[in-house]
Amino acid sequence: MYKDLISIILPVYNGEQYISECIDSCLNQTYQNWELIIVNDCSTDNTPVILSKYIKKDQRLKLYNNKANLKLPKSLNLGHEMAKGEYLTWISHDNILKRNFLEEMIEEIIKSNSDIVYSNFSVINGDGILQEKRVLSNLNNFLLGNPVQASFVYKRIVYNHLNGYKDHLFLIEDYDFWLRSSICFKISHLSKDLYFFRKHKDSLTTSIKKNQARYNLFSNNLSRCFSELNLHLNAHTIEFLVLLHSYSEIWSRKINVNDIKNIHSFFRDIEIFCLKIKIDSHQQKLNIKKRIREIILFKGKVEFTLLFYLIIFRPNAVIKNNKDILKLVKSYFSNE
């Protein structure tokens, strides 16, 4: 029914282990009007040999070999500039599209009159074994995390308006892109599982957790991202948002008033952003406002106010650190 061209951008660096599965998932799509733009970022393994074989199989596959290792955001921008589709998406070389990914996404983006659509997905390990089904949230907590994540399609106008991905924000280029998009464009969530996201020891996401230099770069670029949003976020808000994004470490030090000079300004900054993003329902915006005001009015320690906030907006931070959380709650009530 829909015939618009969809461009899939595939940046790859040393992807010999998984690249074939990724490309095959594109070739096997039920929706046929697509092109695959592969950007090889100077791979040193067997990736170029694998790619050369695939390029001969299907004229919808295009290959560009970077002359120098440019990293992900620059490679993404190169691929997007080569793309001819009115609709765009990109995929990491270790992930897999389910057969109906393009068909379901193009139908939803047109029917909902959205600019961006994202869907739920399945998490697999390095061997392709299912680990979990991930049902994504709406945009209410966008400043605290990336609800769009891995499975998405967007209109070309989104990419053009934002001037693409920011080259200097390696490791959070996608999150920055969605944050900027949310202020200007309509984003919709498709509650269908259409994608396989692979978590393994060599993934870029894993490297942030295991490599201190990568983690430092991630944190610094995250801070730059928030600063460049032109939302006039309080400096203490930005500092604390960066900490919240690394919630595995959030309880490693005592949370006190010095972490956020003014807890009210922190919540106010979050509220202002929530009311700016392009959410479909006006009632949903009112609910956000009401919930945040309830938190602001809560009378208690900064630590307990933060805990209350996290329970609502970042439950993983609570669940994954339950022993420290219980100590925090116990100490709060024992001092009352």
Side-chain angles (χ1 to χ4, degrees), residues 13-54:
Y13 174 72
N14 288 353
E16 64 178 6
Q17 186 174 1
Y18 302 116
I19 189 69
S20 293
E21 283 185 87
C22 179
I23 295 176
D24 285 340
S25 76
C26 297
L27 292 172
N28 293 330
Q29 287 297 298
T30 56
Y31 188 91
Q32 294 295 304
N33 193 19
W34 53 264
E35 63 174 358
L36 179 63
I37 312 296
I38 306 170
V39 182
N40 175 31
D41 198 19
C42 297
S43 296
T44 58
D45 62 359
N46 202 42
T47 296
V49 176
I50 297 172
L51 294 179
S52 65
K53 293 179 180 178
Y54 271 101

Side-chain angles (χ1 to χ4, degrees), residues 92-107:
S92 298
H93 71 264
D94 44 5
N95 295 339
I96 301 170
L97 303 178
K98 294 191 176 182
R99 289 193 74 246
N100 58 337
F101 171 83
L102 292 179
E103 182 179 356
E104 295 280 2
M105 288 297 224
I106 191 69
E107 180 177 357

Side-chain angles (χ1 to χ4, degrees), residues 132-278:
E132 63 174 300
K133 296 277 189 177
R134 190 163 295 180
V135 178
L136 301 181
S137 64
N138 54 34
L139 307 181
N140 295 5
N141 57 349
F142 221 145
L143 281 178
L144 301 179
N146 178 8
V148 178
Q149 298 197 28
S151 177
F152 50 80
V153 168
Y154 47 92
K155 295 178 180 177
R156 174 175 288 276
I157 189 176
V158 176
Y159 177 84
N160 291 344
H161 179 81
L162 299 178
N163 293 315
Y165 294 83
K166 291 186 177 180
D167 293 348
H168 62 283
L169 293 182
F170 177 50
L171 299 179
I172 59 133
E173 61 283 314
D174 56 337
Y175 180 49
D176 169 77
F177 188 85
W178 304 129
L179 280 172
R180 290 185 288 136
S181 299
S182 67
I183 301 171
C184 308
F185 297 99
K186 180 182 176 182
I187 305 178
S188 295
H189 174 219
L190 176 58
S191 188
K192 292 184 179 181
D193 188 327
L194 301 174
Y195 193 96
F196 289 108
F197 174 80
R198 193 187 304 269
K199 292 180 68 174
H200 57 96
K201 62 182 179 62
D202 298 320
S203 69
L204 198 59
T205 303
T206 302
S207 73
I208 295 172
K209 298 178 181 178
K210 292 187 175 182
N211 185 302
Q212 187 62 44
R214 277 278 171 91
Y215 174 79
N216 292 341
L217 180 60
F218 168 80
S219 298
N220 291 337
N221 283 348
L222 190 58
S223 180
R224 293 181 69 179
C225 162
F226 290 131
S227 299
E228 294 172 8
L229 278 176
N230 296 320
L231 292 176
H232 308 293
L233 295 174
N234 184 287
H236 300 292
T237 295
I238 293 175
E239 178 185 357
F240 208 73
L241 282 173
V242 172
L243 183 62
L244 285 174
H245 276 264
S246 306
Y247 56 77
S248 61
E249 298 182 1
I250 193 168
W251 306 111
S252 63
R253 60 173 179 167
K254 181 72 173 177
I255 304 298
N256 54 54
V257 179
N258 291 326
D259 286 312
I260 309 175
K261 295 293 184 181
N262 188 334
I263 191 73
H264 296 275
S265 69
F266 172 74
F267 292 129
R268 186 168 60 248
D269 282 348
I270 300 293
E271 178 184 348
I272 289 171
F273 178 79
C274 286
L275 295 175
K276 281 187 176 182
I277 62 179
K278 304 295 182 181

